[in-house]
């Protein structure tokens, strides 16, 4: 009964909107009718389930970001550092008029050369720490990691493949590691060392208590029996 009364009330509102000044402005009357129908559709349209709402809520934050242009890179770092870009009246900054060209001192090394790149660590935290303080620490640690990778490219001449630049994705890794009892890396049998992250295993061993790690070699059926035995002997030698 309550729902029926609400429908009747909204129908009456729609009729009032459609009947407002019918002789002088028929166009406005039609707009009023459309407005009344829109109100009814908005009020009684089917609502999504709570699980769907929960899924959609974090989808934007967890969007993977592996490549971005210079402007996006600059704005991302500025946001992580909490830089304020508010304009101030009367404040003028004069830049040097000399043009500079930056040339690489040496050509970057081949990207196929394996480099033991670090995984960003979650900063030290303790129970009872405020959300703002924890967020600030995590942002600072992530910015420091990004700067270190930038120095590898600019100073050491490393050629890095695209990597995850979204802090929210790394936060998920931090929390999953802390809640895990076993860390499993799935690698391609055709080149397992290319997909293996040694520093992730090192990170897992730094946790308290240390998490054991397992290397799961996938697509082993694409290798010959001799190749599988050779890789098995290699990993046994490495422990």
């Amino acid at each position: 009964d309550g729902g029926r009364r609400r429908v009747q009330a909204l129908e009456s509102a729609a009729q009032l909107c459609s009947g407002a000044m019918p002789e002088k402005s028929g166009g406005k009357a039609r707009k009023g009718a459309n407005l009344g129908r829109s109100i009814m559709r908005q009020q009684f349209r089917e609502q999504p389930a709570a699980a769907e709402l929960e899924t959609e809520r974090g989808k934007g934050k967890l969007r993977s970001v592996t490549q971005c242009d210079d402007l996006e890179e600059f704005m991302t770092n500025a946001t992580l550092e909490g830089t304020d870009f508010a304009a101030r009246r009367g404040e003028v900054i004069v830049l040097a008029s000399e043009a500079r060209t930056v040339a690489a001192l040496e050509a970057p090394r081949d990207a196929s050369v394996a480099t033991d790149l670090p995984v960003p660590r979650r900063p030290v935290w303790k129970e009872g720490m405020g959300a703002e303080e924890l967020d600030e620490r995590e942002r600072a640690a992530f910015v420091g990691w990004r700067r270190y990778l930038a120095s590898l490219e600019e100073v050491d001449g490393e050629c890095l493949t695209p990597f995850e630049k979204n802090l929210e994705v790394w936060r998920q890794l931090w929390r999953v590691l802390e809640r895990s009892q076993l860390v499993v890396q799935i690698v391609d049998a055709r080149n397992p060392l290319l997909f293996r992250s040694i520093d992730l295993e090192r990170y897992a061993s730094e946790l308290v208590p240390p998490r054991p790690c397992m290397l799961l070699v996938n697509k082993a059926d694409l290798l010959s029996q001799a190749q599988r035995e050779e890789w098995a002997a290699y990993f046994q030698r490495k422990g």
Side-chain angles (χ1 to χ4, degrees):
D1 293 339
R4 185 177 301 174
R5 293 195 189 97
R6 293 171 65 186
V7 172
Q8 292 175 351
L10 289 172
E11 288 178 348
S12 301
Q15 293 175 359
L16 289 175
C17 292
S18 61
M21 302 178 65
E23 298 178 357
K24 295 183 178 180
S25 54
K28 291 184 179 180
R30 286 192 296 272
K31 290 181 180 179
N34 293 334
L35 174 61
R37 296 191 188 97
S38 299
I39 294 174
M40 293 179 63
R41 286 195 297 268
Q42 181 72 21
Q43 184 71 19
F44 293 100
R45 67 181 181 182
E46 185 177 353
Q47 297 295 330
E52 295 178 358
L53 288 175
E54 185 64 28
T55 303
E56 294 293 329
R57 186 175 295 119
K59 183 176 292 185
K61 290 185 178 181
L62 293 179
R63 181 176 59 90
S64 179
V65 179
T66 57
Q67 290 180 317
C68 55
D69 55 33
D70 293 340
L71 179 57
E72 291 174 339
E73 182 86 8
F74 173 78
M75 294 302 298
T76 299
N77 290 334
T79 302
L80 290 172
E81 296 175 359
T83 305
D84 184 13
F85 290 98
R88 299 179 181 178
R89 184 183 299 275
E91 183 174 330
V92 179
I93 299 177
V94 180
L95 301 177
S97 59
E98 299 178 358
R100 297 185 303 164
T101 57
V102 180
L105 298 179
E106 59 179 349
R109 291 199 289 268
D110 188 355
S112 62
V113 176
T115 304
D116 186 10
L117 295 177
V119 173
R121 268 39 171 194
R122 188 182 188 186
V124 179
W125 65 280
K126 57 184 178 181
E127 295 184 5
M129 182 179 293
E132 293 183 0
E133 181 182 359
L134 179 60
D135 178 74
E136 184 177 351
R137 288 192 178 189
E138 291 180 347
R139 287 174 180 270
F142 187 68
V143 169
W145 176 74
R146 292 282 301 273
R147 287 176 175 170
Y148 172 72
L149 294 185
S151 68
L152 291 180
E153 290 184 303
E154 298 172 2
V155 179
D156 299 341
E158 293 282 356
C159 184
L160 303 183
T161 56
F163 59 92
E164 184 58 60
K165 299 178 174 65
N166 187 356
L167 172 59
E168 296 298 330
V169 176
W170 289 108
R171 280 173 167 164
Q172 292 297 313
L173 174 65
W174 295 340
R175 285 150 179 77
V176 168
L177 284 176
E178 293 173 355
R179 290 169 171 79
S180 299
Q181 297 178 338
L182 174 68
V183 178
V184 180
Q185 290 191 70
I186 303 177
V187 297
D188 195 312
R190 292 167 291 184
N191 194 347
L193 300 184
L194 179 63
F195 300 96
R196 180 188 182 188
S197 175
I198 298 178
D199 196 60
L200 179 61
E201 301 172 12
R202 192 179 298 122
Y203 185 17
S205 66
E206 296 170 359
L207 298 174
V208 180
R211 272 55 168 183
C213 296
M214 176 185 295
L215 200 64
L216 180 61
V217 182
N218 191 26
K219 300 181 180 178
D221 57 320
L222 299 178
L223 303 182
S224 64
Q225 181 67 27
Q227 290 174 323
R228 292 198 294 269
E229 293 176 355
E230 186 65 27
W231 277 117
Y234 171 82
F235 286 120
Q236 287 177 358
R237 291 194 302 269
K238 294 296 183 179

